[in-house]
Amino acid sequence: KSSNSNTNDFRIVCDFDPEPQYIAVKKGNTNLLDELNQALIKLKAENPSFDEKLYKLHYTSQIGTSVTFTRTELDFINNNKVFKVYYDPKWAPLESTDPDTKKAVGAVIDILNIVSQKSGIEFDYVTTDSYATNIERVKQKNGYILSAVAFDYKWANKNNIHLTKPFMDVTLAYVFKDDIKFDKIALPESFFTVQFIKEKNPDAQIITYKNIKDCLDAVNSGKADVTILNGYELNYFFSIPKYHKLNFSNIPNFTESFSVGISKDAHPLLYSIINKTLNSISEEEITNAIKNNTHRSSKDGFLDLAYTNPLDFFLILFAIFLLVVIVIILTLFNILTKKKNKAIINLNSKIALKIK
């Protein structure tokens, strides 16, 4: 194995940045090349954590390490037990508000819960109507922590945020309905992808929405041409029948990393404690948190039939309509019959009185 933690026979003498690796085919064999490209795209779409699993297998230890805090840090933890954490209410499967319990759920929340358990700091998960509003609340010093932000120093400096060690890496993909074009691009307000698109396509018309789901709905309805999803979002939303007819194309040689965002106005020890604790979490713990939240239940509702089996859906609707019409006709017939019978009874009574 490649991890230095798995062998005592070698030592590291030099580190270098990773570089993209490619599969080579014979020149001119475009059919095989297309098949390989499609297979790689499908692999990343259906298993977004594939790269993480390979990295964990060959380069990291699966055992998390204990956290050692300084006396100053321990005093800070003991004197500051609870901190607000702002999360996105509609960023499934990474984080969202459970419709039944009204509590924060998702892969990011599970990772932060591990941070809480290992550090002793308690997190109070709060949210607003959107990610953009969460950022404004932190800027206004109404809380100091954003649960997950893009690991981009330019974006962080603009929003007065310190970035911890990245705890998650994701691939990105363009999502579109028919043909991919970039005239109208739907993106969540204040997301890092807004900055990315402005730099890549300065003339593009960016339409901002409150969350990823609203962006997808805009593309699905034709209000926008394209949006951007990370691999986990793609895997989650494409399992929903409503979005089955959408297409995607991976953005080559580009990934996004997520960190915990901590306001620069917060006490420096808060950053130190959270960052130190994140570094102690094993890749296996991270992977489990992601795996436990990114697989949507396959149970589809009645309305999903409109997308999975439209003919059956409309036949059922037609049968229900006929049943309702029949019930209405029978009810009206019954009412009219009762009125007619009542009139006959009244008439017979009048005739009987006259005979007497």
Side-chain angles (χ1 to χ4, degrees):
K1 292 190 177 183
S2 301
S3 172
N4 66 307
S5 64
N6 293 323
T7 177
N8 296 318
D9 299 331
F10 301 96
R11 63 187 179 89
I12 296 173
V13 294
C14 181
D15 288 332
F16 53 90
D17 292 335
E19 294 182 353
Q21 302 296 310
Y22 303 90
I23 300 173
V25 300
K26 185 178 180 181
K27 189 174 183 179
N29 194 348
T30 55
N31 289 336
L32 178 58
L33 182 63
D34 289 341
E35 287 181 12
L36 286 170
N37 284 332
Q38 288 302 315
L40 287 171
I41 290 171
K42 188 175 180 181
L43 176 66
K44 294 294 182 67
E46 295 183 356
N47 190 0
S49 60
F50 181 73
D51 289 340
E52 289 183 48
K53 290 177 181 176
L54 281 183
Y55 185 87
K56 182 186 72 173
L57 177 64
H58 296 291
Y59 290 98
T60 66
S61 169
Q62 295 185 4
I63 303 172
T65 59
S66 59
V67 193
T68 303
F69 296 116
T70 65
R71 172 53 57 189
T72 306
E73 288 171 337
L74 288 172
D75 288 341
F76 179 83
I77 293 170
N78 291 329
N79 295 324
N80 300 272
K81 278 291 184 181
V82 183
F83 285 91
K84 281 184 184 178
V85 175
Y86 283 95
Y87 71 96
D88 192 326
K90 294 184 178 180
W91 194 23
L94 298 181
E95 57 185 37
S96 61
T97 300
D98 186 286
D100 298 322
T101 64
K102 307 301 179 185
K103 293 182 178 180
V105 294
V108 171
I109 302 301
D110 284 357
I111 292 168
L112 287 177
N113 285 339
I114 297 173
V115 172
S116 177
Q117 292 166 9
K118 299 187 78 169
S119 68
I121 290 179
E122 184 180 342
F123 293 136
D124 177 23
Y125 298 107
V126 295
T127 192
T128 62
D129 62 339
S130 70
Y131 180 75
T133 308
N134 288 348
I135 294 174
E136 290 304 313
R137 290 286 178 88
V138 172
K139 284 182 178 179
Q140 295 164 6
K141 302 180 184 180
N142 188 8
Y144 296 107
I145 305 173
L146 292 167
S147 56
V149 298
F151 187 72
D152 182 84
Y153 286 109
K154 185 176 178 181
W155 180 94
N157 288 330
K158 177 183 174 183
N159 290 286
N160 196 41
I161 296 292
H162 280 308
L163 300 174
T164 66
K165 162 193 176 286
F167 58 82
M168 187 184 298
D169 298 311
V170 294
T171 57
L172 295 177
Y174 294 118
V175 177
F176 51 95
K177 193 165 187 178
D178 297 313
D179 298 323
I180 187 169
K181 53 185 179 179
F182 299 94
D183 295 334
K184 296 179 181 179
I185 304 174
L187 295 172
E189 187 180 3
S190 295
F191 265 41
F192 161 73
T193 45
V194 175
Q195 174 185 307
F196 169 74
I197 287 296
K198 283 182 177 178
E199 293 174 354
K200 193 174 180 66
N201 298 288
D203 298 328
Q205 180 186 352
I206 296 176
I207 309 170
T208 56
Y209 293 87
K210 286 187 175 182
N211 53 66
I212 286 291
K213 183 180 180 301
D214 289 348
C215 293
L216 273 176
D217 289 339
V219 173
N220 213 17
S221 65
K223 293 179 181 178
D225 301 314
V226 67
T227 187
I228 296 177
L229 266 67
N230 66 53
Y232 300 122
E233 295 164 341
L234 193 71
N235 193 39
Y236 178 83
F237 281 105
F238 271 47
S239 68
I240 300 174
K242 180 180 179 180
Y243 304 113
H244 280 183
K245 291 186 179 180
L246 294 179
N247 300 297
F248 70 91
S249 174
N250 280 2
I251 302 176
N253 303 321
F254 188 81
T255 59
E256 185 178 16
S257 300
F258 293 121
S259 305
V260 175
I262 301 174
S263 171
K264 291 181 179 180
D265 295 317
H267 196 292
L269 287 176
L270 179 62
Y271 173 83
S272 172
I273 292 165
I274 292 178
N275 195 52
K276 188 181 288 187
T277 309
L278 278 172
N279 275 306
S280 74
I281 299 176
S282 70
E283 288 297 323
E284 184 176 17
E285 290 173 299
I286 298 288
T287 301
N288 287 337
I290 294 169
K291 183 174 64 176
N292 292 337
N293 289 278
T294 51
H295 295 287
R296 176 181 171 269
S297 170
S298 59
K299 293 179 181 179
D300 297 324
F302 171 68
L303 292 178
D304 290 324
L305 274 176
Y307 305 99
T308 55
N309 293 289
L311 181 59
D312 290 349
F313 177 77
F314 287 110
L315 284 175
I316 292 171
L317 280 185
F318 183 68
I320 293 171
F321 174 75
L322 279 180
L323 183 61
V324 171
V325 169
I326 291 170
V327 169
I328 291 172
I329 291 173
L330 289 175
T331 302
L332 289 174
F333 179 77
N334 188 43
I335 292 171
L336 290 173
T337 301
K338 284 183 178 180
K339 284 183 177 181
K340 190 175 180 181
N341 289 339
K342 189 175 181 180
I344 292 171
I345 292 170
N346 290 336
L347 181 61
N348 288 337
S349 298
K350 288 178 181 179
I351 292 172
L353 289 172
K354 284 183 179 181
I355 291 174
K356 289 180 179 179

